[in-house]
Amino acid sequence: MTTTATNKQVTLKDYVSGFPKESDFDLTTTTVELKVPEGSNSVLVKNLYLSCDPYMRTRMSKPKPSTALAQAYTPGQPISGYGVSRVIESGHPDYQKGDLLWGIVGWEEYSVITPTPQVHFKIQHTDVPLSYYTGLLGMPGMTAYAGFYEVCSPKKGETVYVSAASGAVGQVVGQLAKMMGCYVVGSAGSKEKVDLLKTKFGFDDAFNYKEEPDLTAALKRCFPKGIDIYFENVGGKMLDAVLLNMNPHGRIAVCGMISQYNLENQEGVHNLSNIIYKRIRIQGFAVFDYYDKYSKFLEFVLPCIKEGKITYVEDVADGLEKGPEALVGLFHGKNVGKQIVVVARE
């Protein structure tokens, strides 16, 4: 019986400044023992799907004290992120060979992990596409659910604006808001994405921010009565324009700021005094503060998928060697929907 296997890995060459490039990564091959050490509670998994997420950019920079939510990557080591994996060998009482899980794994064919509550989740429902656990049923879906229901406190009939609306999180937020009976507008960076928002995800309206010389006017046009809720994924000039269009007692859930991640000096926001005049609540949040609600989330979302009330679009890159290109593409808006990398399909 084979006791070792080759293990392709994606490693970070060095800390990144500015926009990441494919050349910032190496594809290396090493070998892995196909068993876990005697008496350990670790688990050997075969990685099937890997998730490309904007927050990963913050992990590529030289570590700064207290700014990042997740630890910086180590140059020369495999990068890590959310993935869907199958257990090959287990020393952990909660996991058996053949089990499926989603959570943090290395960008490699095989990973040895120590399953940790709220970091790794056993997959119980396999009657949906497994890749959904990198997106709709994983971290991005949970982010949309927690951010919209817990942070935005939505009410039926309110107006909701979502930036980066066709991405992994935005597409779910828009659909949740429509189910709640809200008026929903999204922005994205191409005609194809804008069409998707209106035809596939049921947004009431959508616009291509790249074609709007004046973002404040674009929002005024889409929201003549103002914005009650803004689900923030972008930051920068977009946040400035939104502040001028918010309604009194509006809520802004700050999920991400992809426009700022590659800048050495982040852009300022100029219209902050509106927070006072309009009594706006701006709240940042991180999904891992809400993982205790994950089973409640599944109870809600699984029936929605089966009844066709929620749909999800994925952009699939085939093969681990396509990982760097897919990950870098996020920061140029190349992905249409949730970007995933298929490492293996079985």
Side-chain angles (χ1 to χ4, degrees):
M1 183 188 154
T2 318
T3 55
T4 61
T6 58
N7 191 23
K8 270 191 293 196
Q9 300 177 318
V10 172
T11 60
L12 185 69
K13 282 186 192 167
D14 200 356
Y15 296 122
V16 174
S17 60
F19 279 83
K21 305 177 294 297
E22 282 178 62
S23 58
D24 290 323
F25 301 92
D26 266 330
L27 197 67
T28 59
T29 304
T30 167
T31 55
V32 61
E33 291 273 335
L34 291 181
K35 57 184 196 297
V36 293
E38 202 64 47
S40 88
N41 64 347
S42 56
V43 172
L44 171 73
V45 296
K46 180 175 184 179
N47 297 321
L48 308 177
Y49 300 97
L50 296 173
S51 175
C52 296
D53 296 296
Y55 83 87
M56 294 168 75
R57 171 63 189 86
T58 62
R59 302 188 66 191
M60 298 172 200
S61 297
K62 198 176 227 145
K64 294 189 188 96
S66 79
T67 52
L69 282 169
Q71 214 178 341
Y73 294 131
T74 307
Q77 295 296 314
I79 64 170
S80 60
Y82 284 93
V84 173
S85 313
R86 185 185 297 283
V87 176
I88 302 292
E89 192 73 51
S90 173
H92 196 283
D94 297 345
Y95 288 89
Q96 262 62 65
K97 184 177 177 173
D99 282 350
L100 291 157
L101 61 85
W102 72 269
I104 300 288
V105 292
W107 271 46
E108 52 194 356
E109 291 174 286
Y110 297 92
S111 290
V112 176
I113 58 171
T114 303
T116 311
Q118 318 259 322
V119 178
H120 300 100
F121 300 81
K122 193 187 280 195
I123 294 174
Q124 314 283 6
H125 303 273
T126 52
D127 51 349
V128 287
L130 268 185
S131 58
Y132 275 17
Y133 287 96
T134 63
L136 176 54
L137 294 174
M139 182 275 287
M142 189 67 213
T143 301
Y145 177 82
F148 186 62
Y149 292 119
E150 302 283 332
V151 182
C152 295
S153 321
K155 294 188 256 324
K156 186 178 175 185
E158 288 193 310
T159 57
V160 176
Y161 172 50
V162 186
S163 55
S166 68
V169 176
Q171 55 175 299
V172 184
V173 174
Q175 293 177 85
L176 296 178
K178 284 307 297 174
M179 284 162 69
M180 185 103 203
C182 296
Y183 178 80
V184 187
V185 179
S187 58
S190 72
K191 183 185 182 306
E192 181 187 7
K193 292 178 186 181
V194 168
D195 290 346
L196 203 60
L197 293 176
K198 294 199 270 201
T199 57
K200 180 102 178 163
F201 301 131
F203 282 62
D204 295 292
D205 202 358
F207 65 91
N208 180 350
Y209 69 88
K210 290 178 184 167
E211 289 179 355
E212 299 291 344
D214 183 341
L215 290 172
T216 306
L219 291 170
K220 187 91 193 139
R221 184 180 75 231
C222 293
F223 294 101
K225 293 187 174 146
I227 300 168
D228 295 313
I229 289 172
Y230 172 41
F231 199 97
E232 166 71 297
N233 290 310
V234 168
K237 294 176 181 67
M238 186 63 82
L239 178 55
D240 247 337
V242 167
L243 286 167
L244 294 176
N245 282 279
M246 288 298 287
N247 282 333
H249 303 289
R251 284 85 70 207
I252 299 178
V254 185
C255 172
M257 291 197 170
I258 196 169
S259 73
Q260 306 300 300
Y261 295 158
N262 298 299
L263 304 179
E264 286 298 294
N265 297 305
Q266 300 202 353
E267 293 170 330
V269 179
H270 302 278
N271 298 322
L272 290 174
S273 54
N274 287 274
I275 299 169
I276 313 161
Y277 312 146
K278 298 177 177 181
R279 287 83 82 204
I280 296 166
R281 174 162 64 82
I282 301 184
Q283 185 181 336
F285 73 101
V287 65
F288 43 72
D289 293 338
Y290 298 92
Y291 276 148
D292 58 329
K293 296 183 164 57
Y294 182 63
S295 55
K296 189 177 147 208
F297 163 68
L298 282 185
E299 275 166 38
F300 166 79
V301 81
L302 284 165
C304 292
I305 296 171
K306 286 165 189 157
E307 291 158 27
K309 285 184 188 161
I310 286 188
T311 181
Y312 203 61
V313 170
E314 296 175 323
D315 195 324
V316 180
D318 248 307
L320 187 61
E321 60 284 353
K322 290 279 195 298
E325 181 190 355
L327 183 54
V328 166
L330 283 182
F331 304 100
H332 301 281
K334 293 203 172 144
N335 56 305
V336 178
K338 166 73 202 166
Q339 183 67 62
I340 64 172
V341 177
V342 182
V343 185
R345 287 189 189 272
E346 49 83 30

